[in-house]
Amino acid sequence: MDSNPFDGVLYPAMDPLFTRTESLTEAEYVTLARTARHEHPCRRTAFRLYVLILVLYHLCLRIDAALGARIEKLGYDKGHHTLKVQIKGGTWVTKAVPPFVWHAIQDLIGGRTEGFIFCTSTGQRLDQASQWRAIRATAKRAGLPQKKISPHSLKHSTITHAYDRPGARPEKIQHWADHKDPRTTQRYNQRRGALEGSPAYDAAASMAEQLEAS
């Protein structure tokens, strides 16, 4: 053909900042976490889901990265508890783990020294679909108004809350969220910041007292 028949077609305008993900307010996040911990019929499953919700929110992770996290990758670096996880695209990153989230993880793994942090009774990795269902069922029990709460709602929410806090630093939030394009977080420059000043600590400080008291 001598010409492209689609050259004259007008493409639809796309908003690069648009997302269909429903987010939570800080109060709704606390309600979701508390409900996960206290209102599930199985105590072990309840605590595991509670810790998963903490990790998704305070470490700003996608569900696949959280479920792939291993005990062997828990560590300590210059005064910070850390977790090294593999994120989307296969890159490994080191996350600062706030103290109360660290203690919750330690309570969950008990005496185990290897394997997945979030696992079945036989040590197998949890599947994503089951945790999607668990989080949605928990949101429903909590009476939250959102229709399509998902694990990614927690990452979406914690980034939004981080931007809303006084003194928010976009480059720190972008690094924490593991985004390569700043438009993804405001929707990632490639700067790899130090663990000091991680938004994880501000996020935990806002919620730790309420969650620890529950």
Side-chain angles (χ1 to χ4, degrees), residues 78-204:
K78 299 177 182 178
H80 303 272
H81 291 300
T82 63
L83 174 62
K84 193 172 183 179
V85 292
Q86 191 171 29
I87 60 171
K88 185 178 180 180
T91 303
W92 287 87
V93 298
T94 299
K95 294 284 189 174
V97 184
F100 94 97
V101 179
W102 177 267
H103 293 315
I105 292 173
Q106 296 304 310
D107 288 343
L108 178 65
I109 64 178
R112 293 192 294 128
T113 58
E114 60 181 14
F116 294 108
I117 294 174
F118 302 101
C119 64
T120 66
S121 58
T122 59
Q124 299 300 308
R125 174 176 173 165
L126 294 176
D127 67 278
Q128 292 187 38
S130 68
Q131 300 315 295
W132 274 67
R133 291 192 296 269
I135 288 175
R136 285 192 173 180
T138 301
K140 186 175 181 179
R141 286 199 304 275
L144 299 180
Q146 293 83 350
K147 294 180 180 180
K148 295 182 179 180
I149 292 290
S150 70
H152 201 56
S153 295
L154 293 167
K155 182 168 183 173
H156 185 86
S157 300
T158 197
I159 291 171
T160 302
H161 301 161
Y163 272 113
D164 286 342
R165 294 189 181 99
R169 295 177 59 183
E171 75 282 3
K172 283 283 188 181
I173 297 171
Q174 178 183 329
H175 172 65
W176 176 53
D178 307 310
H179 293 156
K180 294 179 181 178
D181 188 331
R183 291 174 299 179
T184 308
T185 331
Q186 255 317 330
R187 259 214 349 129
Y188 276 38
N189 65 30
Q190 296 299 312
R191 180 179 180 273
R192 294 292 179 264
L195 295 173
E196 284 82 2
S198 170
Y201 293 117
D202 289 335

Side-chain angles (χ1 to χ4, degrees), residues 1-7:
M1 298 178 66
D2 296 329
S3 62
N4 185 344
F6 296 99
D7 281 345

